[in-house]
Amino acid sequence: MSFAGLLVMLDYGAVLIFALTGALVASRAQLDPVGFIFMAALTAVGGGTLRDLILGRETVFWVEQPTYILIAAGAALLVFWTAHLFESRYRLLVWLDSVALAVAVAAGVGVAMEEGYGPVIIVIMGIVTGTFGGLMRDVVGNEVPLVLKQGQLYLTAAFGGALMAAGLDWLGFQRGEALIACAVIVWVLRAGSLIWGWKLPVYRPRPPRTRG
Amino acid sequence: MSFAGLLVMLDYGAVLIFALTGALVASRAQLDPVGFIFMAALTAVGGGTLRDLILGRETVFWVEQPTYILIAAGAALLVFWTAHLFESRYRLLVWLDSVALAVAVAAGVGVAMEEGYGPVIIVIMGIVTGTFGGLMRDVVGNEVPLVLKQGQLYLTAAFGGALMAAGLDWLGFQRGEALIACAVIVWVLRAGSLIWGWKLPVYRPRPPRTRG
Amino acid sequence: MSFAGLLVMLDYGAVLIFALTGALVASRAQLDPVGFIFMAALTAVGGGTLRDLILGRETVFWVEQPTYILIAAGAALLVFWTAHLFESRYRLLVWLDSVALAVAVAAGVGVAMEEGYGPVIIVIMGIVTGTFGGLMRDVVGNEVPLVLKQGQLYLTAAFGGALMAAGLDWLGFQRGEALIACAVIVWVLRAGSLIWGWKLPVYRPRPPRTRG
C-alpha cells in the first residue's frame, strides 16, 4: 500500500472508531438519533479538522470527501440501536477510545510528515489529531475529559507513539512502518495503563485545592 | 432581493438575535457590560466563524465587515439595561434562541450553496452555523447546552430544515425560496417541540450512568 | 527595537507566562508531566492560534517557529518541579495570568495593526489573543473561567488596553509606544481590580436563576 493510501485508511479508521465513542457518550446523555449523529461526527472529525486548519491545508479532509461524515452517521445509528446490548457502555467507550486514539495519532503524524514538517510539529499534530476529537466530545457531552484522568497514560501514550514515529522517520525507516509502530505503541501504553495501572508520577504534594 | 443580498440579511439577522441570547446568558452569570458584549459577540459570530474557517473562505465574514461586531455590542448593551423588564429571562433566551437557530441554519446553508458544495456539506454547514455559536455560549457561560437537552428537537430541527433546503435546491427550486423554507421548518419544529413537546425517541434503555 | 522585533518579543513573553499558568492549572488537576506540557501549550498558544486562523495569516505562528512549543514545555516542567514551593498556587496563577493577559493583548493588537486592520478588528484581536488561551485552559481544566469572575475587571482590562492602543495609533503615536501603553493599562486595570476591587457595575437586579 502506498503511504497516501495508508493515510486515507488511518483517517477512515479513526473516524469510524471515534464516531462510535461519540455515540456512546450520546447514549450516556440520552440523546435522540440526531444527537447521536452530532456527537459522533464531532468526535470523529474534530481532531482532524483542527489539524487541517492549523496546518493551513487547502481543504479540510471531510469537506473534500463527505463520505467521512456519512460513516460517522452510520456508526451513530448502529450504536443507537445496539448499545443496550453491552453490559458496561463506559468500559466499551474507554476501550474503543484507546483504539481510536492510537489510529488518530498515527493519522496526524502521517499528515504532518507528508507535508514536510519537522519533528516538533509532527509530534504535536499527532497529539492534536489524536486527542482533540475526544476532548470536544467530553466537553460538549459533559463528561470528565479522558485527557485529564489522573494516574492514567493518555496524553503520554499519544506523546510516546508520536515521538517514536518521528524518531523512526529521522533514523531512515519507511514512513509506513513508522506510523504502524506509532499506533501500536500508543495503544500498548494506553492499554497497559488501563489494565495494569501503568502511569507516570503525578503532581500531588498536598490535597487538591477547591475551585477558587 | 438578490441571493447575495438575502445571505447578508440572514447573517445580520442571526448575529443580532444570537447576540441577544448571549447577553441573556451574561445576565444569568451577572457579568458587567464588557462581559455582556463578550458573550454576545461570541454567540453571534461563533457559528459563522467556524463555518468560514472550515470552508476556507478568503476572509471571515465579520473581519471583512466589522459592523457585525458593533451590532452584537449594541444588542448586548440593550439587554444589559432592559433584561430586568422580562419576567423569565430563561424563557426569553430559549425563544430568541429558536429564532436565531432558524435564521443561522439558513445562513449557513446559503453560504455552502453559494460556494457550490454538495448536499452533505450544505446540510452540515447549516447545522454548524446554527448550533456552534449557541454551543460556545453555553459551554463558556456554564449553562447546560441547549443541543443536549433531552427530549427536545434542537439538532433535529436544524437538520430537518437544512435537509429540506438541500432537497428543494436539488429539485430545482430557487435558492432564496429554499432558504426561507429552511428557516420556517427549523423554527416550526423547534417551537412545536417547546410548546407541544414534539420529539424523537431518545436512548433510554436504563437509568443514566454516573460520570465515570 | 523594530516593531516586528517587539511583536516577536511580546509573543514569546505571552507564551512563556501563559504556559506557567496552564501548568499551574495542571498542578491543581494533579496531572502527570505530559499533562502539564499539554495544558501549558494549550494555554500558551491557544489565543494566538485563534487570532492567526481568524486573520487568515499564512502560517500559524508556532507552526512556523516551533520554539514557542519548546518554551511552553520547559515552563511546564519547571512548574511541575517547583510549584509546591508556593504557598498559594491559585494566587500565583491569578497574578501570572494578569501579566500574561497584558502582554498577549498587546501582541494581538500589534499583529492586527501590522496587517493593516481598522480599529474594531484591532481591539477584537487584542481581546481574542489575550483571553482565549486562558479560556481554553479553564474550560479544559474544569476551572471557573477567569473571564466570568463576577465583579472583577478582566475582559474590561483587555478592552481598555486594546482601545487605548487603537486610539494612540489613530492619533499618530508610534506603534511600539501604543503597544507598551496597551500592556501597562491592561495590567494596571487588572491589578487594581485584584487589589482594590475596581470594577464595573454588574447585572444584578435579582438573585441568579438556577440552571434551567
Side-chain angles (χ1 to χ4, degrees):
Chain A
M1 184 162 46
S2 70
F3 186 65
L6 177 64
L7 281 189
V8 169
M9 215 189 68
L10 288 171
D11 259 350
Y12 275 109
V15 161
L16 174 63
I17 309 171
F18 264 136
L20 295 171
T21 71
L24 283 168
V25 167
S27 81
R28 287 162 55 87
Q30 304 194 326
L31 302 184
D32 64 25
V34 180
F36 272 61
I37 293 174
F38 180 84
M39 292 299 297
L42 177 73
T43 312
V45 305
T49 302
L50 190 58
R51 172 198 66 197
D52 288 356
L53 291 178
I54 288 176
L55 293 184
R57 299 181 85 194
E58 217 168 309
T59 318
V60 172
F61 73 106
W62 55 267
V63 173
E64 197 165 45
Q65 182 52 273
T67 316
Y68 287 108
I69 301 292
L70 301 178
I71 289 175
L77 296 178
L78 181 72
V79 170
F80 186 78
W81 284 307
T82 63
H84 63 280
L85 302 176
F86 295 91
E87 200 181 325
S88 165
R89 279 177 283 137
Y90 190 71
R91 218 178 138 74
L92 182 63
L93 166 58
V94 168
W95 279 99
L96 280 174
D97 183 87
S98 74
V99 180
L101 177 70
V103 175
V105 169
V109 162
V111 166
M113 279 179 180
E114 199 190 27
E115 306 249 339
Y117 288 98
V120 175
I121 301 300
I122 286 176
V123 169
I124 294 171
M125 285 303 134
I127 295 175
V128 164
T129 311
T131 61
F132 270 82
L135 188 54
M136 293 179 199
R137 172 196 67 205
D138 295 341
V139 167
V140 171
N142 205 25
E143 302 265 348
V144 175
L146 283 176
V147 299
L148 290 180
K149 281 286 174 74
Q150 293 156 18
Q152 292 191 3
L153 298 184
Y154 193 91
L155 289 164
T156 304
F159 179 69
L163 198 65
M164 170 64 84
L168 290 176
D169 182 45
W170 185 77
L171 288 170
F173 280 79
Q174 286 207 351
R175 289 186 161 178
E177 295 167 2
L179 294 195
I180 289 165
C182 168
V184 168
I185 286 169
V186 173
W187 189 78
V188 166
L189 287 175
R190 178 80 181 124
S193 175
L194 289 171
I195 300 176
W196 293 294
W198 296 354
K199 61 180 173 183
L200 290 186
V202 300
Y203 182 87
R204 190 170 292 166
R206 55 179 91 174
R209 298 296 169 97
T210 53
R211 284 167 69 139
Chain B
M1 184 162 45
S2 69
F3 186 64
L6 178 63
L7 280 190
V8 169
M9 215 189 67
L10 288 171
D11 258 350
Y12 275 108
V15 160
L16 174 63
I17 310 170
F18 264 135
L20 295 171
T21 70
L24 283 168
V25 167
S27 82
R28 287 162 56 87
Q30 304 194 326
L31 301 185
D32 64 26
V34 180
F36 272 61
I37 293 174
F38 181 84
M39 292 299 297
L42 177 74
T43 312
V45 305
T49 301
L50 190 58
R51 170 199 68 195
D52 289 356
L53 291 178
I54 289 176
L55 292 185
R57 298 182 86 196
E58 217 169 308
T59 319
V60 172
F61 72 108
W62 56 268
V63 173
E64 197 164 44
Q65 182 52 271
T67 315
Y68 288 109
I69 300 292
L70 301 177
I71 290 175
L77 296 179
L78 181 73
V79 171
F80 186 78
W81 284 306
T82 63
H84 62 281
L85 303 176
F86 295 91
E87 201 181 325
S88 166
R89 280 176 283 139
Y90 190 72
R91 218 177 137 73
L92 182 64
L93 166 59
V94 167
W95 279 99
L96 279 173
D97 183 87
S98 74
V99 180
L101 177 72
V103 175
V105 168
V109 161
V111 166
M113 278 180 178
E114 200 191 25
E115 306 250 339
Y117 288 99
V120 175
I121 300 300
I122 287 175
V123 169
I124 293 171
M125 285 302 134
I127 296 174
V128 164
T129 311
T131 61
F132 270 82
L135 188 54
M136 292 178 199
R137 172 196 67 206
D138 295 342
V139 167
V140 172
N142 205 23
E143 302 265 348
V144 175
L146 283 175
V147 299
L148 289 180
K149 282 286 174 73
Q150 293 157 18
Q152 291 190 2
L153 298 184
Y154 193 92
L155 289 164
T156 304
F159 179 69
L163 198 65
M164 170 64 83
L168 290 176
D169 182 47
W170 185 78
L171 288 171
F173 281 78
Q174 286 206 351
R175 289 184 162 179
E177 295 168 2
L179 292 196
I180 289 164
C182 167
V184 169
I185 286 170
V186 173
W187 190 78
V188 166
L189 287 174
R190 178 80 181 123
S193 175
L194 289 171
I195 301 174
W196 293 295
W198 297 353
K199 61 179 174 184
L200 289 187
V202 299
Y203 181 87
R204 189 171 292 168
R206 56 177 91 172
R209 296 300 169 96
T210 53
R211 284 167 69 140
Chain C
M1 184 163 46
S2 70
F3 186 65
L6 178 63
L7 282 189
V8 168
M9 215 190 67
L10 289 171
D11 258 351
Y12 275 108
V15 161
L16 173 64
I17 310 171
F18 264 136
L20 295 171
T21 71
L24 282 168
V25 167
S27 82
R28 288 162 55 86
Q30 304 194 326
L31 301 184
D32 64 25
V34 180
F36 272 60
I37 293 174
F38 180 84
M39 291 300 295
L42 177 74
T43 312
V45 304
T49 302
L50 191 57
R51 171 197 70 195
D52 289 355
L53 291 178
I54 288 175
L55 293 184
R57 298 182 86 195
E58 216 169 309
T59 318
V60 172
F61 72 107
W62 54 269
V63 173
E64 198 165 43
Q65 182 52 273
T67 314
Y68 288 108
I69 301 292
L70 300 178
I71 289 174
L77 296 179
L78 181 73
V79 171
F80 186 78
W81 283 307
T82 64
H84 63 282
L85 303 176
F86 295 92
E87 200 181 324
S88 166
R89 279 176 283 138
Y90 189 71
R91 219 177 137 73
L92 182 64
L93 166 58
V94 167
W95 279 99
L96 281 173
D97 183 88
S98 74
V99 179
L101 178 71
V103 175
V105 169
V109 162
V111 166
M113 279 180 178
E114 199 190 27
E115 307 249 338
Y117 288 99
V120 175
I121 301 299
I122 287 176
V123 170
I124 294 171
M125 284 303 135
I127 296 175
V128 164
T129 311
T131 61
F132 270 83
L135 189 53
M136 292 178 199
R137 171 196 68 206
D138 295 342
V139 166
V140 171
N142 205 26
E143 302 265 348
V144 175
L146 283 175
V147 299
L148 290 179
K149 281 286 173 75
Q150 294 155 19
Q152 291 191 2
L153 298 185
Y154 194 92
L155 289 164
T156 304
F159 179 69
L163 199 64
M164 170 64 83
L168 290 177
D169 183 45
W170 185 78
L171 288 170
F173 281 78
Q174 286 206 351
R175 290 188 160 176
E177 295 167 2
L179 293 196
I180 288 165
C182 167
V184 169
I185 286 169
V186 173
W187 190 77
V188 167
L189 288 175
R190 178 80 182 123
S193 175
L194 289 172
I195 300 175
W196 294 294
W198 296 354
K199 61 180 175 184
L200 289 186
V202 300
Y203 181 87
R204 190 171 294 166
R206 56 178 90 172
R209 297 298 169 95
T210 53
R211 285 166 69 137

